[in-house]
Amino acid sequence: RGTALGSLALVARALLENQQLIRWHLVFKAFCGVIALICGNGYIVGINQIYDIGIDKVNKPYLPIAAGDLSVQLAWLLVLFFAGAGLSIVAWNFGSFITSLYCLGLFLGTIYSVPPFRLKRYPVAAFLIIATVRGFLLNFGVYYATRAALGLPFQWSSPVAFITCFVTLFALVIAITKDLPDVEGDRKFQISTLATKLGVRNIALLGSGLLLANYLVAIFVAFYLPQEFRQSIMVPAHALLASGLIFQAWILEQANYTKDAILQFYRFIWNLFYAEYLVFPLI
């Protein structure tokens, strides 16, 4: 959902900035781009689940491979199909530069999960990979590809620079907090994460603090660059999202960081991520 929503938001932004250049055949090309991104995400998520079967049986037994609903052999066929299909779509439609970025994303997703690299074992490397793929590559790549499809050279706009920085930090928070519900399995399989090292409460507070700072900066930017952003939308929207974050952090504290409360908190962080992309085309 995050990949599809993010790509649609970036495409919408580029089109809204250049409405006079919109052609109907570009709609199909944009649709192909979204499919390619979903395929890439499917490959990265799938390859991670293949190599995390043991851990997922403890932390996420509902996932298809861990639950036995999907065989490992079929999972391999699916992830290879996703990688091949996505790469073919990008190479056919978007040129060598975007294809290179797409390959970089697949490569980072591979070394994140696959031995002997398996960089997810190392917190800093894992954070950097997630932030790079979900932050920079997705936002820059989609916006660049959309402008190229419109026949325009790449040019940063303030809103796109904002969403790239905002989501990169947000992706870092997701990388930090994604292990909160998985502490039990990570300890059992000796996976070193910040949550296992520093404790669930400390990481939850750290993630909440970083996100709150993100929202405060967004509000500041709206006031600092009123000619670039719609204050009437950007300020109240981010204030509302920040308030929701504070409330959820309070609920987590009151629940004494039980596993169910942690899972609910982590899901709420993802909902905030989705909400940012829903707001983005309007700011």
Side-chain angles (χ1 to χ4, degrees), residues 183-205:
V183 170
E184 181 183 350
D186 288 340
R187 285 174 176 161
K188 181 177 179 180
F189 286 87
Q190 298 181 334
I191 299 293
S192 177
T193 67
L194 285 182
T196 59
K197 288 183 175 181
L198 302 180
V200 169
R201 183 175 186 272
N202 290 333
I203 296 305
L205 291 175

Side-chain angles (χ1 to χ4, degrees), residues 26-273:
L26 295 176
V27 175
F28 176 74
K29 195 169 186 178
F31 177 75
C32 289
V34 173
I35 295 299
L37 287 169
I38 292 174
C39 285
N41 188 68
Y43 167 79
I44 292 172
V45 171
I47 204 80
N48 184 60
Q49 289 188 26
I50 288 173
Y51 283 97
D52 271 4
I53 296 175
I55 300 174
D56 287 341
K57 285 182 178 179
V58 177
N59 292 333
K60 301 170 183 175
Y62 52 85
L63 292 177
I65 303 176
D69 298 329
L70 181 66
S71 69
V72 175
Q73 292 80 3
L74 183 55
W76 270 112
L77 289 175
L78 285 173
V79 297
L80 292 175
F81 168 77
F82 285 144
L87 188 56
S88 298
I89 291 171
V90 172
W92 184 264
N93 289 281
F94 297 103
S96 59
F97 180 66
I98 294 299
T99 301
S100 299
L101 290 181
Y102 193 85
C103 289
L104 175 60
L106 295 181
F107 172 73
L108 291 175
T110 300
I111 63 174
Y112 176 83
S113 299
V114 177
F117 308 102
R118 200 159 168 77
L119 295 183
K120 67 180 297 179
R121 295 175 297 173
Y122 309 105
V124 174
F127 301 158
L128 291 175
I129 288 174
I130 293 173
T132 299
V133 173
R134 287 203 173 274
F136 176 75
L137 286 181
L138 175 63
N139 293 281
F140 171 80
V142 171
Y143 189 69
Y144 180 99
T146 305
R147 285 187 63 88
L150 293 172
L152 298 171
F154 179 78
Q155 179 180 344
W156 283 108
S157 68
S158 294
V160 174
F162 161 76
I163 196 66
T164 300
C165 294
F166 186 96
V167 172
T168 298
L169 181 57
F170 210 124
L172 179 63
V173 172
I174 289 174
I176 291 172
T177 58
K178 73 178 182 63
D179 298 311
L180 290 177
D182 301 338
V183 170
E184 181 183 350
D186 288 340
R187 285 174 176 161
K188 181 177 179 180
F189 286 87
Q190 298 181 334
I191 299 293
S192 177
T193 67
L194 285 182
T196 59
K197 288 183 175 181
L198 302 180
V200 169
R201 183 175 186 272
N202 290 333
I203 296 305
L205 291 175
L206 175 62
S208 299
L210 289 173
L211 279 187
L212 185 59
N214 220 13
Y215 287 124
L216 292 176
V217 169
I219 293 171
F220 170 78
V221 166
F223 283 113
Y224 186 71
L225 297 172
Q227 70 279 10
E228 301 288 345
F229 298 95
R230 295 188 179 96
Q231 283 186 3
S232 59
I233 296 176
M234 192 163 176
V235 172
H238 287 94
L240 180 62
L241 294 174
S243 299
L245 171 65
I246 293 171
F247 180 66
Q248 284 296 320
W250 177 80
I251 290 177
L252 181 61
E253 181 75 28
Q254 295 302 305
N256 201 28
Y257 297 88
T258 62
K259 187 170 183 177
D260 287 342
I262 292 168
L263 186 58
Q264 180 180 350
F265 176 74
Y266 180 63
R267 286 173 177 168
F268 184 78
I269 288 177
W270 270 105
N271 288 334
L272 291 176
F273 184 80

